[in-house]
Amino acid sequence: MRRKIIAGNWKMNLTLDEGQKLTSEIVNMYKDENVKDVIAVLNPPFPHIFPVKKLIGDIKGIAIGAQNCSDKEFGAFTGEVSAKILASFGVEYVIIGHSERREYFKETNEFLGKKVVAALAQGLTPIFCCGESLDIRNAGTHEANVKYQLTESLFGLSAGDMARVVIAYEPIWAIGTGKTATSDQAQEMHLALRRHIASKFGKELAGDISILYGGSMNAANAADLLSKPDVDGGLIGGASLKSRDFLDIIKSY
Ligand code: PEP
């Protein structure tokens, strides 16, 4: 079923105290302001997962996610964290293929496909990121580029597994730049992605997949972006570090 999801990507930010303060504020506002029908996913750095999860407690509608996972289940892979370990801590979502992972850690479509499989095998929901660079957008090949990312990483999945994936369309030129895609640009790409998924997995399955937009979404532009029929939520970087902004984005649905 298509869900409305607002996921916060804290990236490599916040100390323990700062993370606890932010989480407590979000949890309290979410409860006090009676948020309904929108799943908020907090994706902090790994060491925060345990305390953040504790602060969330049993509140329905707020979930914990990670920003990455290994493609392996366990073993001698120093510095890595597996989906199996994450699941044992109550993690429900994991971001896979963020453009920063693709760029700085050279994660390829094929490798990211393996991470998706590893996450699904442990019952996690992958938030699979895709998106084009400014050069590709200017060349006019953005749609083909992003479809290719999906084909390479996800089209080997069974329909049952594909149905459990969340997609995040994040144009790289919009991430952390303050240059948000227009809501029409977002809608155009989300629809193209949904049609692409339908071409492989059928219209019904594609219609059930949540496709989030990411790239400088904030409290001022969220309502417009989220009003589009194929935009099912957001993946939020900078604005997820401020509780009021994050809640305002959630509430702008
Ligand atoms: C992100 O990093 O996924 C992101 C969308 O960042 P920002 O909201 O800061 O552009």
Side-chain angles (χ1 to χ4, degrees):
M1 199 187 68
R2 231 199 266 194
R3 289 158 288 170
K4 295 177 176 179
I5 298 170
I6 300 291
N9 175 11
W10 295 9
K11 309 197 186 191
M12 197 174 71
N13 291 302
L14 306 185
T15 61
L16 174 60
D17 286 351
E18 290 164 348
Q20 292 199 283
K21 182 170 177 286
L22 176 64
T23 307
S24 302
E25 288 170 4
I26 290 170
V27 164
N28 289 335
M29 288 178 189
Y30 191 93
K31 277 192 301 195
D32 294 348
E33 298 174 27
N34 205 17
V35 176
K36 286 202 180 77
D37 298 334
V38 182
I39 301 169
V41 185
L42 308 185
N43 299 272
F46 290 131
H48 285 274
I49 285 173
F50 190 62
V52 167
K53 170 86 184 145
K54 257 185 126 171
L55 286 169
I56 294 171
D58 57 4
I59 297 177
K60 272 208 177 83
I62 307 186
I64 183 110
Q67 297 172 22
N68 182 28
C69 71
S70 172
D71 63 317
K72 308 284 193 308
E73 194 174 296
F74 57 85
F77 300 101
T78 302
E80 289 290 276
V81 177
S82 72
K84 192 181 180 96
I85 295 171
L86 293 172
S88 77
F89 278 84
V91 170
E92 293 174 67
Y93 291 79
V94 58
I95 298 171
I96 292 177
H98 191 282
S99 63
E100 288 151 17
R101 301 291 317 173
R102 291 175 186 266
E103 185 183 349
Y104 305 139
F105 302 96
K106 306 293 171 226
E107 296 191 351
T108 63
N109 291 330
E110 188 194 355
F111 182 54
L112 294 169
K114 289 182 182 164
K115 291 189 176 204
V116 169
V117 169
L120 289 166
Q122 300 301 328
L124 302 186
T125 299
I127 300 177
F128 179 80
C129 301
C130 56
E132 80 283 359
S133 65
L134 188 58
D135 283 352
I136 289 175
R137 164 76 47 176
N138 287 339
T141 52
H142 43 288
E143 201 177 299
N145 175 260
V146 175
K147 284 181 183 171
Y148 183 69
Q149 291 174 333
L150 255 62
T151 303
E152 289 259 288
S153 298
L154 303 178
F155 278 22
L157 294 175
S158 67
D161 277 349
M162 184 64 190
R164 295 165 50 209
V165 175
V166 168
I167 308 286
Y169 167 61
E170 298 208 300
I172 299 168
W173 46 271
I175 298 177
T177 59
K179 282 190 197 152
T180 320
T182 65
S183 56
D184 287 342
Q185 285 173 321
Q187 169 59 24
E188 185 182 46
M189 289 301 277
H190 285 221
L191 181 59
L193 289 175
R194 205 178 296 286
R195 286 186 172 150
H196 187 52
I197 295 167
S199 72
K200 168 77 181 171
F201 295 99
K203 218 173 160 185
E204 193 180 332
L205 187 150
D208 278 348
I209 290 204
S210 298
I211 306 180
L212 318 183
Y213 167 80
S216 298
M217 192 189 270
N218 58 40
N221 59 32
D224 182 29
L225 286 158
L226 296 169
S227 71
K228 295 294 178 182
D230 287 288
V231 178
D232 307 309
L235 180 54
I236 323 294
S240 74
L241 299 173
K242 293 185 191 124
S243 53
R244 186 65 267 163
D245 289 2
F246 190 58
L247 254 291
D248 284 347
I249 292 171
I250 291 173
K251 288 173 66 184
S252 58
Y253 243 131

